[in-house]
Amino acid sequence: MGSGMKEASVRLREDADAVLPSPERDHQQVLSSLLSGALAGALAKTAVAPLDRTKIIFQVSSKRFSAKEAFRLLYFTYLNEGFFSLWRGNSATMVRVVPYAAIQFSAHEEYKRVLGRYYGFRGEALPPWPRLLAGALAGTTAASLTYPLDLVRARMAVTPKEMYSNIFHVFARISREEGLKTLYHGFTPTVLGVIPYAGLSFFTYETLKSLHREYGGGRQPYPFERMIFGACAGLLGQSASYPLDVVRRRMQTAGVTGHTHGSILSTLRAIVREEGAVRGLYKGLSMNWLKGPIAVGISFTTFDLMQILLRHLRS
């Protein structure tokens, strides 16, 4: 009985989509991906914002990282500045993350369709290399279009609230005191980091869903299973790209932390010289292993569930 209703629902959805002209259907799919991606990014980043802020503070300083020191920083921030100070910079994060996630998820769906047509596969059944390429291209597209907002968010996370009153104040001061080109300082390591991060994240998540379909009798994953798939994706993606994340944060905040503006190589050498290769380039990685899987799990799960909901509403 349940399977019959499910098949009827699928047929109804396919019939409803078939009635729509192709351009209108494509337009709806893009809007659906943008909306789902925006909500996914907002929920995921808000959930881990205090941990993210703490990680950035350690990344851009010479302090030695440990879980004890990280939680001590969280505790003293709460005592001295109040509970909501743990989310300082989250407004700038939302301004960046909402368009970033919307663009990334929507671009990923489009790249899957384009590569699927090219290779003669449906988007969700792409072979491994195109699956990896779709994720890398999606991340690169989103990072390129929203990078200045990422820099502003990093500046707000590591400075006292007296220095920058709001997002527009950050833009105004950087433009006046450091020049407009500073808004793209650290862009190269960002893109170099996004390629393995987004590529591996989407690849891992899509691969685990594909294996689930293959060995789970074709049933859809439960939400908690999607969370686990997303957590695995986040763990792999962030571990692979983490040293470049440290370099970009140091470059982004050089103007307010006393470090000199430099190239990727000079920043990399400075970190290794001052703090050592492992301690410097992987500082805060253990916190990323805590927050990254949570954030990516929430993000992928929210996107998928929103897509399913919107398809049901359309049909």
Side-chain angles (χ1 to χ4, degrees), residues 43-82:
L43 285 177
K45 278 296 183 181
T46 300
V48 298
L51 296 175
D52 207 24
R53 182 178 184 234
T54 303
K55 181 203 72 172
I56 292 172
I57 290 170
F58 275 98
Q59 282 182 328
V60 302
S61 72
S62 298
K63 296 178 186 175
R64 180 180 289 190
F65 176 85
S66 70
K68 182 180 177 182
E69 287 299 316
F71 285 106
R72 180 180 291 176
L73 176 61
L74 280 168
Y75 179 65
F76 281 109
T77 302
Y78 162 70
L79 284 183
N80 297 327
E81 301 179 41

Side-chain angles (χ1 to χ4, degrees), residues 110-134 137:
E110 291 305 308
Y111 285 129
K112 280 202 304 183
R113 276 193 278 272
V114 170
L115 291 169
R117 284 196 296 268
Y118 181 80
Y119 285 98
F121 287 88
R122 287 171 59 93
E124 65 272 19
L126 284 173
W129 280 112
R131 195 180 299 163
L132 186 69
L133 180 60
L137 288 171

